[in-house]
Amino acid sequence: MPGLKNLALKSWGQYQKELTPENWQKLKANLNDDKTFRDLLEKSFCLVCVNETEEIIGMCFLVPSGNPTEIYDSSWCYIRFVTVSLDFSGQGIGRKLTEKCIEYAIETGEHIIALHTSEMMHKARYLYESLGFTILKEIEPRLGKKFWLYTRSLT
């Protein structure tokens, strides 16, 4: 778990300047909370990418259907925390992780895959749209930023 947290804190630190100090502290606390990752690891399929020294340089989680939240319907699976080390940005790792989530969701019989992302994550939005995700709706702002719920049919 420390490797996942370290990657998240370093990578998501790029958004610190786009958030108010208060909202950055909220995000940082969530990323630094063991419970955040423990909960994801208990209920999801976790993918990691490591470099030649076994350092985690990319990660994502696919939560299976049956795990509804205030954003996600119980019949959907959904992707969380697609994260890539800034040192390896632009090398297709985020795309490959997302593609693997889609493949696994299809293999396990899921019908709809979802995710959410924000206005500050321009590269992520382009990536998801290029993989066939479409905006279902704008959701309640988080951390003072606009967020959208994306879905993609798997059938």
Side-chain angles (χ1 to χ4, degrees):
M1 192 165 6
L4 300 175
K5 280 177 42 177
N6 289 340
L7 173 61
L9 288 165
K10 288 179 186 175
S11 179
W12 291 65
Q14 68 184 301
Y15 303 114
Q16 180 176 358
K17 63 183 177 279
E18 297 196 41
L19 298 170
T20 65
E22 178 184 336
N23 284 328
W24 167 245
Q25 288 307 314
K26 285 180 190 176
L27 176 59
K28 186 177 174 184
N30 187 43
L31 296 172
N32 205 30
D33 187 352
D34 286 347
K35 185 177 180 333
T36 299
F37 294 97
R38 189 172 38 253
D39 289 350
L40 282 169
L41 288 167
E42 286 175 3
K43 67 182 173 188
S44 69
F45 173 67
C46 176
L47 284 166
V48 296
C49 179
V50 297
N51 65 9
E52 61 280 348
T53 63
E54 299 298 311
E55 175 188 9
I56 298 173
I57 60 170
M59 68 175 174
C60 67
F61 301 87
L62 178 67
V63 180
S65 57
N67 291 284
T69 70
E70 71 279 0
I71 300 173
Y72 301 111
D73 187 87
S74 66
S75 65
W76 303 342
C77 65
Y78 52 94
I79 299 173
R80 296 293 319 276
F81 284 110
V82 177
T83 306
V84 176
S85 168
L86 297 176
D87 295 336
F88 293 85
S89 180
Q91 296 182 25
I93 295 170
R95 173 174 292 278
K96 184 56 91 176
L97 289 168
T98 306
E99 289 171 343
K100 289 291 185 187
C101 282
I102 294 167
E103 290 171 18
Y104 186 76
I106 291 168
E107 289 171 12
T108 57
E110 299 286 359
H111 300 286
I112 300 286
I113 189 167
L115 55 85
H116 70 281
T117 193
S118 78
E119 65 182 308
M120 64 185 174
M121 299 177 185
H122 308 291
K123 290 179 187 175
R125 288 174 36 219
Y126 173 79
L127 167 65
Y128 302 141
E129 290 170 9
S130 76
L131 291 172
F133 286 87
T134 58
I135 295 174
L136 180 65
K137 65 181 180 179
E138 186 172 336
I139 58 176
E140 192 71 28
R142 294 165 181 256
L143 304 171
K145 297 293 180 183
K146 281 185 178 181
F147 273 77
W148 296 275
L149 175 62
Y150 282 75
T151 59
R152 177 186 158 169
S153 174
L154 299 173
T155 55

